Amino acid sequence: MKSTAHIKGHPIHPILIVFPIAFFIGTLLFDILALAGNRYDFAFVAICLQIAGVVSALLAAVPGIIDYLFTVPPKSSAKKRGTQHGLLNIFVVVLFFVAWLLKRDPYLPAFWIILLELAGVVGLGISGWMGGTLVYRNQIGVNPRYAGAGKWKEMHIDGRPEKVEVATADELQTDQMKLVHVHNKRIVLAKTEKGYVAFDDRCTHKGGSLAGGAMIYGTVQCPWHGSQFEATTGQVKAGPAKEGIVTYAVTEHNGKVYLNF
Ligand code: FES
């Protein structure tokens, strides 16, 4: 699924997260070195890294939240994982912020602050693992270009009309899909050898986005675990999904394609 917060197709969140990761790990290392060598200059570097870590983490969170809200498929296993990933990141930032506040207390042993930062780095590792799963398994921000798939297409339609113009007749090539947000739903418009079809952008297995999958000879394949559905009827052709997907009536008139509710 193509990232919503991107620069020329490159997701911004993975570009920015390297900064807080480096700064927070650096904070811990410099605080350990400061304690071991009784070095105030190292302690000062640790404080600078800590502030940079909190600020860069907040900046990295912005495209992350945008992708969480608008790219991660709703009601899916990835949404649940994304929620845990976000909450854990908030916890990590709070830990480092509290550690920074505690450094103002000259009577508090540095050991306790290092312990807090160590917990933060462990949290960062777990959260990073989840982020990796979101990208490498759930393909959030990945924009594959299968043969015939063309460029990612997406449109938003306001209101709740009963008949919605969603494309021109020659807009999509065979096997290309377009994600349409309408009636508070995510619906995939696709062109098959037999014409246009439309179906829910939700795999019935674990909620994968079918718009991010592959369409071949009238069959759409989910990108997460490979379930296949017949695009016209919505029937399951191959599991692990057991339930079919919802399909919608599509009509063509005067060179325009309409979705009918
Ligand atoms: S979510 Fe598992 S096959 Fe689609």
Side-chain angles (χ1 to χ4, degrees), residues 109-250:
F111 169 79
W112 292 110
I113 290 169
I114 288 174
L115 210 60
L116 266 188
E117 291 171 352
L118 185 64
V121 168
V122 170
L124 204 58
I126 297 170
S127 167
W129 184 281
M130 287 178 170
T133 306
L134 282 163
V135 174
Y136 301 120
R137 190 193 301 164
N138 297 138
Q139 302 179 30
I140 306 302
V142 175
N143 184 17
R145 299 261 178 93
Y146 299 111
K151 284 195 173 179
W152 176 267
K153 280 180 174 275
E154 192 166 353
M155 78 185 295
H156 294 257
I157 294 168
D158 295 329
R160 299 183 68 83
E162 289 186 357
K163 187 174 178 179
V164 187
E165 183 187 325
V166 282
T168 55
D170 59 356
E171 184 176 328
L172 301 186
Q173 56 195 24
T174 301
D175 290 341
Q176 191 173 6
M177 296 189 274
K178 179 178 183 178
L179 180 57
V180 181
H181 299 262
V182 62
H183 284 215
N184 286 329
K185 294 179 180 184
R186 292 160 60 112
I187 296 174
V188 181
L189 177 74
K191 193 170 188 181
T192 69
E193 284 73 6
K194 294 179 185 162
Y196 278 97
V197 293
F199 47 85
D200 263 347
D201 179 44
R202 186 177 188 282
C203 174
T204 52
H205 179 225
K206 289 195 174 179
S209 165
L210 296 174
M215 168 69 74
I216 305 164
Y217 290 118
T219 297
V220 62
Q221 177 164 316
C222 176
W224 285 3
H225 312 98
S227 290
Q228 295 180 351
F229 304 91
E230 212 284 316
T232 313
T233 62
Q235 284 177 341
V236 177
K237 289 183 83 175
K242 291 189 168 52
E243 271 177 54
I245 50 174
V246 175
T247 57
Y248 300 88
V250 180

